Amino acid sequence: MERLSMPWLRAHQPDRYERVVSWPERIIQFGEGNFLRGFADWLIDELNERGHFGGRIVVVAPRRTGAANVARLNAQDGLYTVWLRGLADGAVVDEARVVASVSRGLDPYADWTQILRLAETPEIDILISNTTERGLVYTEEAYRPNETPESFPAKVTAYLYHRYQHFAGDPAAGLTLIPCELVDDNGDLLRELVLRHAAAWRLPAGFSEWVNTANRFCHTLVDRILPGYPAAAEAEALFARVGYTDELLTVGEPYHLWAISGDPQLAQRWPLAECGFNVHMTDDVTPFRLQKVRILNGLHTAMSALALLAGKRTVGDVMADADFAAFVEKLAFREIIPAIAAPSLPEATLQAFARQVLERFRNPFLEHELHSITLNTLAKTRVRLVPTLSAYIERQGELPQRLVLALAGLLLYYPAARAKGWPIRDDGAQVQSLLDVWGQEAELGLEAVVERLLADTRLWGADLTVYPRLVVGICDQVRNIRGAGPQDAIRQVVAAEA
C-alpha cells in the first residue's frame, strides 16, 4: 500500500494539493510530538482550508530524541493523519483527515543553520511550542553563535537574537510566541527565561529591550486528549479504509479547547472561533485554566486511587461502573462546582464544561490508564483538590463528603501500591515520609496517623488539620474502605444526599 506523501495528495486530492503547495512558511514550531500535530497543526490546517491564514509550519524537534519524528515527517512530505474518535453531544465521531499544514521538519542538532535562516524570514512571525513542563526551565549553558543550544529556552533566545541582528532591531520583526506547555503564565515564564539567557550571555541591552517591546509572549491553555498511534489492528483497518499507510497517524478525541491571551491582533489572523472551533482569544486565560484544573484534572485525581483500590484499570472502567460514575458526577456538580463558581465562572458555564468532561470520560475509543493518572499525585492533589476542599468548607460550612472519601483513598493508595508492586511515580522523599507515618499506625493508632499526615505541609501545601472534623471524617472513610471495601464506600457516599 502506498505511503502518505505529496504524490499521494496530488493524485487523490489534486485541488487541495494545489492549495497546499501555494502556502508559504509562516510559523516555526518547537515540538514534533502527538499533541501539537493533533491540536495546533490540525487547527491551522482547518483554518487554511477555510480560506484563512494560508500558511504552513516548519516543525523543529526541541530535543535530540525528536530526530526520528522529524525523519518520519520529512519522509511523508510533512503530511500525516489525525483520526478523531469519541463522543460529541452524544453522537459517535469517527473521522480521519490528512493534515497538510506542516511543510517540513528540522533537527536542530543537524540543521541549526537552516533554523537560523528561518529567523531571517519576515513571513515567519509566529512561534508555537510544546516541550512539556520540563522544557520551560532554565539550564545554564554557554552561548556559541554557530552551535545548537541544548535547552528549549536557550534555543529560542539564540533564534530571537539572530532575528534581532538580521533586522537591525526593527520592532516590526518581533514575533508572536505561543507556548502551549501546561504551566501557569507560560508566556511570562518563557519571556523571563529568554531574558535570563540574554543576561547570562551578556547580549546587548538593546536586544532585551526588543524582546520586551517588539515580541508578544502569549499565555495559553490547551486541552485535548491525544494518545497517538493506535493499536496495530486499528491502524491497519484505517489504512485499508483510506488507501495509504501513515507512520505518524495520530488518534485524538473530538473535544478541543485553546485559550490564548497576549496578542490582540491574533484573532484577526486566526479567526478560529468564527470558523466554529473552541478557541478563545481572551484577555485572561485564568478562568479556562481554573475550570480545567479543578474539574477535569480534579476528577481524574479524585477517582484514580479509589478506582485502582477497587480493581479498575481505566477511566472507561470507572464510568462503566454505576456506583463510580455517580460518585464522579456528584463530586463534580455538588462539591467541585459550588467551590469555584464566581462572576468570571458562572455555575451554568461550569456545569456545561462538566457535562463535556463526563462525556469525554466515557469515550469508548480511548484507553486512559488509571496508573498514568497517578504520576505526581501528591503535587497534583495540592493544585487540583486542596483548593477545592478549602473553598467548599469556607463557602458551605461543612465537609465535602465525596472529596473526603477521595482523600482517604489517596492516603491508602501509597501503602497499597508499595505492597502490590504498583508504580509509585512521585516525590520519593515525600512518599517515604508518608509511608513512614503509616508504619507507626500500630503504635499510634489511626487517628494520630491521619492527623500527622494531614498536618504535613510538605504533602499538601497547607496544614489540613485546621479544618474541623476533617481528621475524623477521613478516619471514618479509611475504616469504610478497609472494612466494606472501596466499592461499598463509594456506594454509601453516593447514597448520602448532600
Side-chain angles (χ1 to χ4, degrees):
M1 190 179 295
E2 186 178 359
R3 187 177 189 174
L4 181 61
S5 64
M6 277 295 188
W8 183 93
L9 190 70
R10 181 170 51 198
H12 294 86
Q13 299 177 16
D15 291 343
R16 189 177 184 208
Y17 170 83
E18 294 299 329
R19 291 194 301 275
V20 168
V21 296
S22 71
W23 296 329
E25 295 175 338
R26 300 183 65 185
I27 299 172
I28 182 170
Q29 174 178 296
F30 286 84
E32 84 298 336
N34 292 327
F35 183 79
L36 285 181
R37 292 204 315 270
F39 183 79
D41 303 347
W42 169 80
L43 281 166
I44 296 300
D45 189 64
E46 293 278 7
L47 197 61
N48 285 339
E49 286 300 315
R50 284 162 172 75
H52 303 287
F53 189 62
R56 301 187 78 196
I57 304 162
V58 183
V59 168
V60 177
R63 292 176 290 273
R64 295 179 184 274
T65 53
N69 270 346
V70 164
R72 293 186 188 100
L73 266 175
N74 291 332
Q76 296 184 180
D77 302 318
L79 302 178
Y80 59 92
T81 309
V82 170
W83 189 9
L84 301 182
R85 311 183 78 192
L87 303 174
D89 297 326
V92 174
V93 175
D94 186 7
E95 302 172 352
R97 170 190 174 85
V98 173
V99 171
S101 58
V102 174
S103 61
R104 56 186 167 134
L106 294 174
D107 174 5
Y109 300 97
D111 305 317
W112 186 240
T113 301
Q114 290 190 55
I115 292 169
L116 292 181
R117 287 200 192 105
L118 297 177
E120 302 172 4
T121 305
E123 293 81 8
I124 298 180
D125 60 356
I126 295 175
L127 184 153
I128 300 173
S129 71
N130 186 28
T131 58
T132 77
E133 296 91 323
R134 292 177 297 172
L136 284 184
V137 296
Y138 180 79
T139 304
E140 185 175 344
E141 56 182 294
Y143 173 57
R144 300 179 178 87
N146 298 318
E147 295 183 16
T148 311
E150 195 63 37
S151 74
F152 163 63
K155 290 182 179 73
V156 174
T157 307
Y159 182 88
L160 289 175
Y161 185 55
H162 189 85
R163 188 173 179 90
Y164 167 80
Q165 290 179 302
H166 181 79
F167 290 103
D170 184 355
L175 300 184
T176 296
L177 297 96
I178 309 174
C180 297
E181 292 82 359
L182 288 172
V183 177
D184 288 353
D185 301 326
N186 45 18
D188 284 347
L189 178 57
L190 180 56
R191 180 196 290 111
E192 291 167 7
L193 293 169
V194 167
L195 293 173
R196 186 173 177 183
H197 280 293
W201 295 345
R202 299 184 178 180
L203 301 181
F207 169 65
S208 294
E209 182 180 357
W210 180 82
V211 168
N212 271 321
T213 60
N215 295 269
R216 297 154 300 283
F217 290 80
C218 299
H219 293 166
T220 68
L221 178 78
V222 296
D223 188 7
R224 173 175 258 179
I225 298 172
L226 287 148
Y229 200 87
E234 291 178 306
E236 291 302 320
L238 179 68
F239 297 155
R241 190 170 103 192
V242 298
Y244 59 77
T245 62
D246 178 2
E247 291 187 14
L248 292 170
L249 170 62
T250 302
V251 174
E253 64 173 343
Y255 179 87
H256 65 279
L257 166 67
W258 200 358
I260 307 174
S261 70
D263 186 346
Q265 284 73 48
L266 192 60
Q268 299 174 11
R269 303 180 67 189
W270 286 0
L272 287 159
E274 290 80 358
C275 293
F277 295 98
N278 192 21
V279 177
H280 303 263
M281 304 294 178
T282 178
D283 293 333
D284 185 9
V285 303
T286 304
F288 297 95
R289 177 179 293 112
L290 186 62
Q291 70 177 8
K292 175 182 182 290
V293 170
R294 298 284 190 88
I295 298 177
L296 186 149
N297 301 131
L299 289 174
H300 269 158
T301 300
M303 75 168 69
S304 59
L306 284 168
L308 285 165
L309 292 172
K312 311 297 183 190
R313 185 177 64 86
T314 68
V315 173
D317 293 341
V318 172
M319 300 308 292
D321 183 298
D323 296 325
F324 269 90
F327 169 79
V328 171
E329 182 172 346
K330 289 189 175 185
L331 176 58
F333 285 95
R334 299 194 181 186
E335 295 183 357
I336 297 177
I337 289 175
I340 59 177
S344 62
L345 273 175
E347 194 161 324
T349 299
L350 295 170
Q351 289 174 348
F353 180 77
R355 285 191 288 271
Q356 286 180 317
V357 166
L358 295 175
E359 184 175 64
R360 295 167 70 188
F361 286 175
R362 292 187 171 94
N363 189 337
F365 299 108
L366 296 185
E367 289 266 306
H368 197 169
E369 298 275 351
L370 291 167
H371 277 301
S372 70
I373 296 173
T374 64
L375 174 67
N376 295 324
T377 289
L378 291 172
K380 289 174 179 176
T381 300
R382 289 193 291 271
V383 174
R384 299 175 176 184
L385 299 183
V386 170
T388 299
L389 173 74
S390 60
Y392 184 93
I393 294 172
E394 180 180 340
R395 293 185 182 188
Q396 307 297 325
E398 60 185 14
L399 294 178
Q401 293 301 326
R402 298 165 192 88
L403 188 51
V404 168
L405 175 59
L407 291 172
L410 285 168
L411 291 180
L412 287 171
Y413 170 78
Y414 290 92
R418 177 63 58 86
K420 296 174 181 291
W422 292 344
I424 301 178
R425 294 169 295 173
D426 223 313
D427 182 286
Q430 292 180 5
V431 170
Q432 191 56 54
S433 174
L434 187 150
L435 292 172
D436 288 345
V437 175
W438 272 122
Q440 302 174 59
E441 183 180 4
E443 175 187 350
L444 300 176
L446 176 60
E447 189 162 330
V449 164
V450 170
E451 185 170 7
R452 287 193 181 187
L453 290 173
L454 295 186
D456 191 340
T457 58
R458 295 170 302 170
L459 298 179
W460 321 113
D463 180 355
L464 300 187
T465 63
V466 299
Y467 301 116
R469 294 193 56 78
L470 181 60
V471 171
V472 173
I474 288 184
C475 286
D476 288 344
Q477 293 298 357
V478 166
R479 294 187 186 98
N480 277 346
I481 295 169
R482 285 174 166 174
Q487 186 82 33
D488 197 60
I490 287 278
R491 190 175 296 120
Q492 289 178 36
V493 81
V494 166
E497 293 298 326

